Amino acid sequence: MNIYTNQEVKARSLGPENVLLKGATLKNTKKIYGVAVYTGMETKMALNYQGKSQKRSAVEKSINAFLIVYLLILVSKASICTTLKYVWQSNPANDEPWYNEKTRKEKESFKILKIFTDFLSFMVLFNFIIPVSMYVTVEMQKFLGSFFISWDKEMYDEEIKEGALVNTSDLNEELGQVEYVFTDKTGTLTENSMEFIECCIDGYKYKETGDGLSVTDGPAGFYGKASKDREELFLRALCLCHTVQMKEECQTDGPVASSESKCSYVSSSPDEIALLTGAKKYGFTYVGTENYFMKVKNQNNELELYQLLHVLNFDPVRRRMSVLVRTNTGKIFLFCKGADSSVFNRVARDEVARIKVHVEQNAVDGYRTLCVAYKELGMEEYEKVHKQLDEATMALQDREEKLARVFDDIEDSMHLLGATAVEDRLQEQAAETIEALHAAGMKVWVLTGDKMETAKSTCYACRLFQNTTELLELTTKNLEECERKEDRLQELLLEYHRKLVQEAPKIKGSVKRSWTGSQDYGLIIDGSTLSLILNSNCSSSPFKNIFLQICQKCTAVLCCRMAPLQKAQIVKMVKNSKGNPITLSVGDGANDVSMILEAHVGIGIKGKEGRQAARNSDYAVPKFKHLKKLLLAHGHLYYVRIAHLVQYFFYKNLCFILPQFLYQFFCGFSQQPLYDAAYLTMYNICFTSLPILAYSLLEQHISIETLMENPKLYMRISENSMLQWLPFLYWTVLGAFEGLVFFFGVYFLFQNPSLEGNGQVFGNWSFGTIVFTTLVFTVTLKLALDTRYWTWMNHLVIWGSLAFYVIFSIFWGGIIWPFLRQQRMYFVFSHMLTSVSVWLAIILLIFISLYPEILLIIVRNLKNAGQKRKVCTKTVGSESARSTVRPLLLRTFSDESNVL
């Protein structure tokens, strides 16, 4: 871009650092020159639209499978009735009556068309077996149910004044099926609130005291200190090598405070602010940048000016950043800071040894470490570097590659000054949350870009690794023992595979989680080793399957030095493994967005690195600790509710249509409906819809407190246990049994020709109305039996629905409606209620239909009471050693309903 000022033309490059996103605020400058870029189809939204995959829950897949079964039942019923109709009509005695008898030619003409028309008529007659209204109810349940997450006061954070956020309601039930949890470390497990702890200068460790820097030890155990010049150069490097900006506080009335108190540091990285704060405690203070001059106050309170020449920004490939500055004396320095792995190989080897000891010790202590280096450039060398940087930044093609090559050339042959140690504290209850997730049968993987020792120490602190956990390492350090890394990697993978998979004792019985064994294993792998494993060439392609099998046998996995793309690759590898386990990713920064989008469920933490993760996630929570309640309580209840909703809809529609199918055998397969049209329409819309909707929103078969205290209950609903074929078969058999009871119970009642004292006989509409009344009361009372958590809303919709049906039926048949051509239901319902036999029949049929359910509840309660007494006599250890976990079967009246 060319800028014209005072007849001078200046060419300026445009890069990522110049892009202002929507909502950006102009600060620290009066005006800017701008140009609109990435508009139209080049916007981020348009470019990313095609690539984003659609997330579907396991419940939706089960619904589709069940729907296919009921479609086959529908087609079978229509085919049977069509066939039997023409078999029945083949008998001349069953053909058309004498006054409407057709000729032979009329009977045989268009026979195929008539058969097809009759088939379609039966399809229309029986189509109510397909629960179309279920999809509407499911969407309402998901949308309305998502508000309970947002309204949860226990998931509200007072610090940021925000609660949980639901970006999509389609995955509520998926929160109850998670098997793998992938989490970032910095800002997710930790607070991302950095505090400068100590530093190392020329091999001497310095800690903060009241008087400033205090030497605690030095090389080879000798106490001493670095030279004064090296100390000051190190602290100047901390004050100059960063991208921090000064933020001026708003002016207020009253006495004017000092200039320092009115400013604060603002940066995208909390590490940089911590380093500046630490340098300030030791006498060197960064006071801002003005006209490309960085101002630093030294220990003598003198203001030093450094001209900022170039900033070599941090990127995840280089893992370091640098600045080029010019001093007042004209000297030009390059100051660089970055990860030890990216700095040590660019300085002299003799300088590395005395610093590396402190870096490794700090990493073991759980501190985040950065190494600081510098070099002095001559004028000729700087002119060459300046020219290379200008050419690379102005390049219109392959700019990133050219800049990377220039940065690589500049950041070479440096001198190591020292290293810093910054502490990032664990979030509140992070360890307890991970323990609960492990107890619930979930595997927790930590994917981080931090150093292995630092991440390993954090994993022990948050109890991801226990003292009894045997750690297996696949790191660059292990592979360097052999000349060919691939050969050493294959050797380690085969050794670990033999130990964990081949030689592992076989566990008898069915186990919900395949990794629950006597010995806990943990795996540690770094980014470079993972690149070898995920490489697609022929020599290393078997590595991926072996590596995946090893991971599946480990209780926890730590992946360190990971690039954002590698995080997504790990999630995708596990997601597409055998069994398609449900994965969940948790992160707080922009580098976690890729794995959040890749997982089945993405959770964003509203942290201090912006809101990119929260905006791209399915759910956002303020802290990592809130994940415990989101999964163990909300996820568990959402799954049980919607699973019961789905099974109940198929059940009640089968009860509804089976009598209609049986009725065809008694009406000559004439497509005569058993129920009135109003009943057919309003059955799923008005009479039975609200009770199940209220149940699916409010039911708590186990209290939230119990679910939080007993994470193992989460395993009972794992692997979509309530929507497997066995529970589906139970509900189908139950619906068929009750449909048979409704029809044949009323049929045998009608064997008595006179159901009234005056000798009058009920007709076919009375027959259908009695069946329908028994049906509505039975399926509604069935749901009342299943309800364990009664509220005023449940009472209102359950008893209100039954009262509405009775009132509607009385008015529907008690008034002559002028808009109806036929008044076939006139006074049918009221007339039916005058018969004592009908009253007794309805009550008896309801009891017979619900009797198996009542008997099953009594047997289960007696069985669970006996189990309670046995469990109370057992120790906690024997309870945890159980190898089998009985899943939720059939519906909510399972062992979960009587939990300790």
PDB file of all heavy atoms in Angstrom, residues 312-316 318-322 337-339:
ATOM      1  N   LEU A 312       9.861  -9.143  14.926  1.00  0.00           N
ATOM      2  CA  LEU A 312       9.705 -10.476  14.320  1.00  0.00           C
ATOM      3  C   LEU A 312       8.696 -11.234  15.182  1.00  0.00           C
ATOM      4  O   LEU A 312       9.038 -11.805  16.220  1.00  0.00           O
ATOM      5  CB  LEU A 312      11.043 -11.211  14.281  1.00  0.00           C
ATOM      6  CG  LEU A 312      12.033 -10.815  13.177  1.00  0.00           C
ATOM      7  CD1 LEU A 312      12.383  -9.346  13.225  1.00  0.00           C
ATOM      8  CD2 LEU A 312      13.305 -11.656  13.257  1.00  0.00           C
ATOM      9  N   ASN A 313       7.441 -11.201  14.766  1.00  0.00           N
ATOM     10  CA  ASN A 313       6.343 -11.683  15.605  1.00  0.00           C
ATOM     11  C   ASN A 313       6.444 -13.180  15.888  1.00  0.00           C
ATOM     12  O   ASN A 313       7.024 -13.951  15.115  1.00  0.00           O
ATOM     13  CB  ASN A 313       4.996 -11.389  14.930  1.00  0.00           C
ATOM     14  CG  ASN A 313       4.651  -9.921  14.978  1.00  0.00           C
ATOM     15  OD1 ASN A 313       4.790  -9.277  16.003  1.00  0.00           O
ATOM     16  ND2 ASN A 313       4.203  -9.369  13.849  1.00  0.00           N
ATOM     17  N   PHE A 314       5.839 -13.552  17.011  1.00  0.00           N
ATOM     18  CA  PHE A 314       5.799 -14.965  17.422  1.00  0.00           C
ATOM     19  C   PHE A 314       4.879 -15.752  16.489  1.00  0.00           C
ATOM     20  O   PHE A 314       3.848 -15.262  16.040  1.00  0.00           O
ATOM     21  CB  PHE A 314       5.267 -15.067  18.853  1.00  0.00           C
ATOM     22  CG  PHE A 314       5.060 -16.478  19.324  1.00  0.00           C
ATOM     23  CD1 PHE A 314       6.095 -17.197  19.895  1.00  0.00           C
ATOM     24  CD2 PHE A 314       3.828 -17.102  19.185  1.00  0.00           C
ATOM     25  CE1 PHE A 314       5.907 -18.496  20.326  1.00  0.00           C
ATOM     26  CE2 PHE A 314       3.624 -18.400  19.601  1.00  0.00           C
ATOM     27  CZ  PHE A 314       4.674 -19.099  20.181  1.00  0.00           C
ATOM     28  N   ASP A 315       5.274 -16.984  16.184  1.00  0.00           N
ATOM     29  CA  ASP A 315       4.375 -17.899  15.480  1.00  0.00           C
ATOM     30  C   ASP A 315       4.600 -19.302  16.038  1.00  0.00           C
ATOM     31  O   ASP A 315       5.677 -19.602  16.569  1.00  0.00           O
ATOM     32  CB  ASP A 315       4.596 -17.860  13.963  1.00  0.00           C
ATOM     33  CG  ASP A 315       5.978 -18.316  13.556  1.00  0.00           C
ATOM     34  OD1 ASP A 315       6.269 -19.517  13.694  1.00  0.00           O
ATOM     35  OD2 ASP A 315       6.788 -17.467  13.118  1.00  0.00           O
ATOM     36  N   PRO A 316       3.587 -20.166  15.932  1.00  0.00           N
ATOM     37  CA  PRO A 316       3.687 -21.488  16.575  1.00  0.00           C
ATOM     38  C   PRO A 316       4.716 -22.408  15.955  1.00  0.00           C
ATOM     39  O   PRO A 316       5.075 -23.423  16.562  1.00  0.00           O
ATOM     40  CB  PRO A 316       2.262 -22.063  16.401  1.00  0.00           C
ATOM     41  CG  PRO A 316       1.670 -21.290  15.281  1.00  0.00           C
ATOM     42  CD  PRO A 316       2.283 -19.930  15.329  1.00  0.00           C
ATOM     43  N   ARG A 318       7.954 -21.277  14.746  1.00  0.00           N
ATOM     44  CA  ARG A 318       9.232 -20.849  15.301  1.00  0.00           C
ATOM     45  C   ARG A 318       9.269 -20.951  16.817  1.00  0.00           C
ATOM     46  O   ARG A 318      10.304 -21.190  17.406  1.00  0.00           O
ATOM     47  CB  ARG A 318       9.523 -19.399  14.890  1.00  0.00           C
ATOM     48  CG  ARG A 318       9.876 -19.229  13.441  1.00  0.00           C
ATOM     49  CD  ARG A 318       9.823 -17.775  12.995  1.00  0.00           C
ATOM     50  NE  ARG A 318      10.536 -16.883  13.879  1.00  0.00           N
ATOM     51  CZ  ARG A 318       9.974 -15.858  14.538  1.00  0.00           C
ATOM     52  NH1 ARG A 318       8.675 -15.624  14.404  1.00  0.00           N
ATOM     53  NH2 ARG A 318      10.682 -15.065  15.318  1.00  0.00           N
ATOM     54  N   ARG A 319       8.145 -20.691  17.468  1.00  0.00           N
ATOM     55  CA  ARG A 319       8.017 -20.696  18.922  1.00  0.00           C
ATOM     56  C   ARG A 319       8.948 -19.671  19.573  1.00  0.00           C
ATOM     57  O   ARG A 319       9.520 -19.919  20.638  1.00  0.00           O
ATOM     58  CB  ARG A 319       8.299 -22.090  19.492  1.00  0.00           C
ATOM     59  CG  ARG A 319       7.327 -23.157  19.037  1.00  0.00           C
ATOM     60  CD  ARG A 319       7.628 -24.488  19.676  1.00  0.00           C
ATOM     61  NE  ARG A 319       6.777 -25.538  19.172  1.00  0.00           N
ATOM     62  CZ  ARG A 319       5.546 -25.809  19.615  1.00  0.00           C
ATOM     63  NH1 ARG A 319       5.031 -25.070  20.565  1.00  0.00           N
ATOM     64  NH2 ARG A 319       4.843 -26.792  19.092  1.00  0.00           N
ATOM     65  N   ARG A 320       9.110 -18.535  18.960  1.00  0.00           N
ATOM     66  CA  ARG A 320       9.918 -17.457  19.531  1.00  0.00           C
ATOM     67  C   ARG A 320       9.527 -16.156  18.853  1.00  0.00           C
ATOM     68  O   ARG A 320       8.867 -16.158  17.818  1.00  0.00           O
ATOM     69  CB  ARG A 320      11.422 -17.722  19.359  1.00  0.00           C
ATOM     70  CG  ARG A 320      11.863 -17.880  17.911  1.00  0.00           C
ATOM     71  CD  ARG A 320      13.345 -18.236  17.791  1.00  0.00           C
ATOM     72  NE  ARG A 320      13.721 -18.395  16.390  1.00  0.00           N
ATOM     73  CZ  ARG A 320      13.660 -19.533  15.710  1.00  0.00           C
ATOM     74  NH1 ARG A 320      13.256 -20.626  16.332  1.00  0.00           N
ATOM     75  NH2 ARG A 320      13.998 -19.596  14.438  1.00  0.00           N
ATOM     76  N   MET A 321       9.945 -15.032  19.450  1.00  0.00           N
ATOM     77  CA  MET A 321       9.755 -13.717  18.855  1.00  0.00           C
ATOM     78  C   MET A 321      11.010 -12.892  19.105  1.00  0.00           C
ATOM     79  O   MET A 321      11.778 -13.157  20.045  1.00  0.00           O
ATOM     80  CB  MET A 321       8.536 -13.011  19.430  1.00  0.00           C
ATOM     81  CG  MET A 321       8.702 -12.496  20.836  1.00  0.00           C
ATOM     82  SD  MET A 321       7.674 -11.060  21.215  1.00  0.00           S
ATOM     83  CE  MET A 321       8.303  -9.853  20.070  1.00  0.00           C
ATOM     84  N   SER A 322      11.227 -11.886  18.257  1.00  0.00           N
ATOM     85  CA  SER A 322      12.423 -11.057  18.365  1.00  0.00           C
ATOM     86  C   SER A 322      12.091  -9.625  18.021  1.00  0.00           C
ATOM     87  O   SER A 322      11.081  -9.342  17.345  1.00  0.00           O
ATOM     88  CB  SER A 322      13.536 -11.571  17.439  1.00  0.00           C
ATOM     89  OG  SER A 322      13.860 -12.916  17.716  1.00  0.00           O
ATOM     90  N   LYS A 337      13.286 -14.002  22.534  1.00  0.00           N
ATOM     91  CA  LYS A 337      12.826 -14.868  23.617  1.00  0.00           C
ATOM     92  C   LYS A 337      11.930 -15.943  23.017  1.00  0.00           C
ATOM     93  O   LYS A 337      11.215 -15.700  22.033  1.00  0.00           O
ATOM     94  CB  LYS A 337      12.068 -14.076  24.690  1.00  0.00           C
ATOM     95  CG  LYS A 337      10.691 -13.609  24.269  1.00  0.00           C
ATOM     96  CD  LYS A 337       9.969 -12.921  25.411  1.00  0.00           C
ATOM     97  CE  LYS A 337       8.569 -12.538  24.942  1.00  0.00           C
ATOM     98  NZ  LYS A 337       8.044 -11.357  25.588  1.00  0.00           N
ATOM     99  N   GLY A 338      11.979 -17.129  23.610  1.00  0.00           N
ATOM    100  CA  GLY A 338      11.169 -18.218  23.082  1.00  0.00           C
ATOM    101  C   GLY A 338      11.363 -19.492  23.868  1.00  0.00           C
ATOM    102  O   GLY A 338      12.054 -19.524  24.900  1.00  0.00           O
ATOM    103  N   ALA A 339      10.762 -20.560  23.383  1.00  0.00           N
ATOM    104  CA  ALA A 339      10.880 -21.862  24.036  1.00  0.00           C
ATOM    105  C   ALA A 339      12.314 -22.354  23.962  1.00  0.00           C
ATOM    106  O   ALA A 339      13.054 -22.037  23.027  1.00  0.00           O
ATOM    107  CB  ALA A 339       9.939 -22.862  23.380  1.00  0.00           C
TER     108      ALA A 339
END
